[in-house]
Amino acid sequence: MTDFQRYETLGLDGSWISLEKGDAKGGCFCTPKGARVIGWEDGVHYCFIRGYGETVFAVNPESCTEEYVYPLAANFRDFLRLLLSCGTAAAIEQIVWWTEAQFQSFLAEDETPPERTAVLEQIRQAFRLEPMEEPYQYVRALQAGFDRSKLRYTDEFYQVTGRARPDGRYAEGPAFEFPPVTFTLPHRDEEAGK
């Protein structure tokens, strides 16, 4: 049994830690092929991706960086340790674009409801884990050395982003096509004659 399968057997309410149940395939334009989603918070989802072993990724369709997919933990056990340090997957996910000071400020100001504390304590006890000592540095180091060359996307991704496919070709046609909009503004002479 994998660590993720063991986590699932706990029957926890993952919404308290930003890991709500949802569509396991993702379904967003930026969800990579081969993704197996393990939790959601709004449109952001967390997943394993075929070809990357047990690495846990964030997929953010409204990313604040140039990339929509980035690693958070080398394996699910490390991801759980990060959760114990940060409280939610959302806090871990935002490391990609936060400075360390912003990250520390968020953790200091984040109120921890008792339900979240209970979920985290169940994880800690079930896996006999301690919180990650330097979560910000861990995630940044993992992201700095990440090789995204094996990530594959659907045609929709290349159409929406306008990026070249791995073979160098670009999507045919515009990503979005809107009908023309015509504005009619009265001249000042017309307004004065009213």
Side-chain angles (χ1 to χ4, degrees):
M1 177 181 297
T2 67
D3 285 330
F4 177 67
Q5 290 168 333
R6 189 169 163 206
Y7 165 82
E8 285 188 306
T9 65
L10 298 176
L12 301 173
D13 181 355
S15 66
W16 292 106
I17 55 173
S18 306
L19 285 177
E20 292 185 54
K21 296 250 185 239
D23 183 357
K25 293 186 179 184
C28 291
F29 77 94
C30 57
T31 303
K33 290 181 178 180
R36 180 172 149 229
V37 178
I38 60 174
W40 290 82
E41 183 190 39
D42 298 322
V44 177
H45 42 294
Y46 305 92
C47 63
F48 301 116
I49 300 173
R50 187 174 46 249
Y52 286 96
E54 291 187 45
T55 302
V56 177
F57 290 86
V59 178
N60 187 344
E62 297 179 8
S63 181
C64 294
T65 69
E66 290 185 19
E67 299 301 336
Y68 299 94
V69 179
Y70 31 89
L72 300 180
N75 54 60
F76 192 71
R77 184 168 285 270
D78 281 356
F79 184 66
L80 293 175
R81 292 184 64 218
L82 287 166
L83 282 169
L84 293 175
S85 293
C86 303
T88 66
I92 304 165
E93 183 266 328
Q94 295 181 72
I95 289 174
V96 73
W97 62 277
W98 271 343
T99 65
E100 187 170 5
Q102 289 171 314
F103 173 69
Q104 294 300 339
S105 176
F106 175 83
L107 292 183
E109 295 171 12
D110 188 33
E111 293 183 24
T112 305
E115 295 88 350
R116 182 187 306 160
T117 301
V119 168
L120 293 171
E121 183 58 22
Q122 286 180 283
I123 290 170
R124 190 187 68 72
Q125 288 182 10
F127 287 88
R128 295 189 173 131
L129 293 174
E130 293 300 320
M132 181 75 66
E133 288 184 25
E134 296 183 350
Y136 185 87
Q137 290 80 1
Y138 171 92
V139 173
R140 282 300 192 136
L142 181 68
Q143 291 171 348
F146 177 58
D147 174 15
R148 57 185 52 257
S149 66
K150 292 185 281 185
L151 289 175
R152 295 293 179 257
Y153 299 95
T154 64
D155 287 341
E156 183 183 16
F157 173 82
Y158 300 107
Q159 290 172 337
V160 170
T161 63
R163 294 181 186 184
R165 291 181 171 89
D167 63 8
R169 292 182 307 119
Y170 285 88
E172 295 178 17
F176 295 104
E177 192 167 324
F178 297 99
V181 176
T182 306
F183 294 97
T184 306
L185 302 173
H187 284 83
R188 287 189 174 171
D189 293 343
E190 292 175 7
E191 288 181 2
K194 288 185 179 177

